[in-house]
Amino acid sequence: MDAYKKAGVDINAGYKLVDEIKKLSHNDALGAFGGMFPLALGQYKKPVLVSGTDGVGTKLLVAIQAGLHETIGIDLVAMCVNDVLAQGAKPLFFLDYLGIGHLDQTQAKEILTGVVNGVSQAGAKLVGGETAEMPDMYQHGHYDLAGFTVGIADQDKLLKTTDLQAGDVLLGLASNGLHSNGFSLVRDILFKQHHYSLDDRLPGCKLDLKHELLRPTRIYVKSVLPLIDQGLIQSIAHITGGGLIENVGRILPADLNAEFDSTSWKMPAIMKKLQTIGQLSFEDMTNTFNLGLGMVLAVRPADKSQVMAELKKAGETVYQVGKLVTGSKKVVIREDAL
């Protein structure tokens, strides 16, 4: 072990980290060769497992530069579980991968505390993961994160594009800022083109840049899943890379368009400033950022009031943002309304 440590890998530090995560997650089974999850299938007539995997992208570089790692694990979980939710499935368990140049106990614990927090928000269970110390792969202080989740749904209750019809109402759930997308552009505008500091606070923004940019992605599972179970949701778009245009387009059948009235919700101040500072076009904004909507739900007009009331009761900020109309699989957002 001494020879391995001299080569840059501290196995004992890894063992200690596993013990810490066992305590944080209340799962003594962590550290086994495989994660286990008891699967109760009695309530499902035709059970289907739905899986998802994702990372956090270059938002990690902001966390590393700021030295703030407590929420980036929430982002990781959110990117995975919100995708599974968008299929109509309940996230069951989660695994993480942390690749790191040098295993700093404090830093790693902060990162994985966020993962545990996110898993708890999703009502799921952390069943395992991997921490790989690779000094020749990552420079000191740098790391990468990836996550994997599995959910379950009844086959007949999976959300399908074929269930959508003209007249369906689009409801938008407010995002918590940028979430985890567009950060290569964000960093280019703020730090390469204009040389802002992470301690700067942009006019109109409540927080300095390091805290504004690191707002964790919202996890919508506990708010939205009960509505799916009640059959009140027809389809869901999780607004990630590609913004509203690409992600809402993914749920549309060939004969429908989605029309958005962008005066019906508030775009976060950080996005407005990025548009101004970076001189971004309307197309840049709609194809890159969530514009303040982390998730878009399609519901029947008759169910709109009940769905909005239950979402607000669950703590969500929800807007009626548009509707589905006869068309050709296009997402239309009026430019003059932003």
Side-chain angles (χ1 to χ4, degrees):
M1 287 190 184
D2 288 340
Y4 207 3
K5 188 172 182 179
K6 288 178 182 178
V9 179
D10 188 344
I11 293 177
N12 286 324
Y15 295 156
K16 291 178 182 177
L17 181 62
V18 171
D19 289 338
E20 291 285 349
I21 303 308
K22 283 182 180 180
K23 294 175 185 177
L24 288 170
S25 64
H26 305 291
N27 183 2
D28 289 333
L30 288 178
F33 288 106
M36 293 175 285
F37 186 87
L39 197 55
L41 298 177
Q43 61 181 306
Y44 299 97
K45 296 179 180 179
K46 297 179 181 179
V48 176
L49 295 179
V50 180
S51 61
T53 185
D54 213 332
V56 187
T58 60
K59 187 174 185 176
L60 287 175
L61 293 174
V62 178
I64 291 166
Q65 185 179 352
L68 298 174
H69 312 283
E70 296 88 349
T71 59
I72 205 73
I74 299 174
D75 289 297
L76 179 67
V77 175
M79 295 299 287
C80 297
V81 299
N82 284 343
D83 275 355
V84 166
L85 177 69
Q87 297 291 117
K90 169 184 170 59
L92 295 174
F93 60 83
F94 187 86
L95 299 98
D96 67 273
Y97 169 83
L98 170 61
I100 195 164
H102 170 70
L103 186 55
D104 178 284
Q105 287 283 335
T106 300
Q107 181 195 56
K109 184 177 178 180
E110 289 173 354
I111 295 166
L112 294 173
T113 296
V115 172
V116 172
N117 187 346
V119 170
S120 176
Q121 288 184 39
K125 184 176 181 179
L126 181 65
V127 298
E130 167 70 2
T131 300
E133 191 174 13
M134 298 180 286
D136 294 331
M137 183 72 75
Y138 302 100
Q139 60 181 299
H140 186 77
H142 280 240
Y143 59 89
D144 196 12
L145 282 175
F148 179 85
T149 192
V150 171
I152 192 169
D154 215 312
Q155 183 174 322
D156 295 336
K157 294 183 179 180
L158 287 170
L159 303 181
K160 302 179 288 292
T161 60
T162 53
D163 292 334
L164 296 174
Q165 60 189 35
D168 283 346
V169 176
L170 297 176
L171 302 179
L173 300 185
S175 68
N176 188 25
L178 292 162
H179 282 186
S180 299
N181 301 103
F183 271 83
S184 292
L185 178 59
V186 170
R187 291 170 44 253
D188 182 67
I189 292 170
L190 295 178
F191 308 128
K192 296 179 183 179
Q193 295 182 29
H194 295 279
H195 308 292
Y196 282 96
S197 162
L198 283 171
D199 293 322
D200 291 335
R201 183 171 65 86
L202 299 181
C205 295
K206 295 181 179 180
L207 304 174
D208 60 24
L209 279 174
K210 61 178 175 288
H211 290 97
E212 189 69 53
L213 299 181
L214 291 174
R215 289 177 183 266
T217 306
R218 282 192 65 79
I219 293 173
Y220 299 104
V221 176
K222 290 183 179 179
S223 302
V224 175
L225 191 61
L227 300 172
I228 295 173
D229 290 340
Q230 295 175 65
L232 296 173
I233 307 296
Q234 303 307 312
S235 194
I236 296 175
H238 179 206
I239 312 305
T240 55
L244 281 175
I245 298 293
E246 180 181 334
N247 289 289
V248 174
R250 291 165 68 179
I251 70 170
L252 294 176
D255 61 344
L256 291 179
N257 283 359
E259 290 187 350
F260 283 84
D261 174 10
S262 60
T263 63
S264 60
W265 78 91
K266 185 177 180 181
M267 186 165 71
I270 183 64
M271 295 183 196
K272 293 180 180 179
K273 297 307 296 183
L274 286 166
Q275 183 176 18
T276 301
I277 296 168
Q279 298 182 328
L280 300 178
S281 68
F282 174 73
E283 186 177 6
D284 287 330
M285 295 298 292
T286 56
N287 283 287
T288 306
F289 301 118
N290 63 53
L291 304 183
L293 304 179
M295 188 164 273
V296 174
L297 316 177
V299 303
R300 299 283 189 248
D303 296 328
K304 180 196 71 174
S305 296
Q306 180 182 350
V307 170
M308 292 186 75
E310 291 196 25
L311 287 169
K312 289 176 181 177
K313 187 176 180 181
E316 301 292 346
T317 300
V318 57
Y319 309 95
Q320 182 175 338
V321 296
K323 61 183 178 180
L324 298 183
V325 298
T326 301
S328 56
K329 200 177 172 66
K330 293 182 180 179
V331 178
V332 181
I333 308 172
R334 286 192 2 245
E335 181 175 358
D336 60 350
L338 269 181

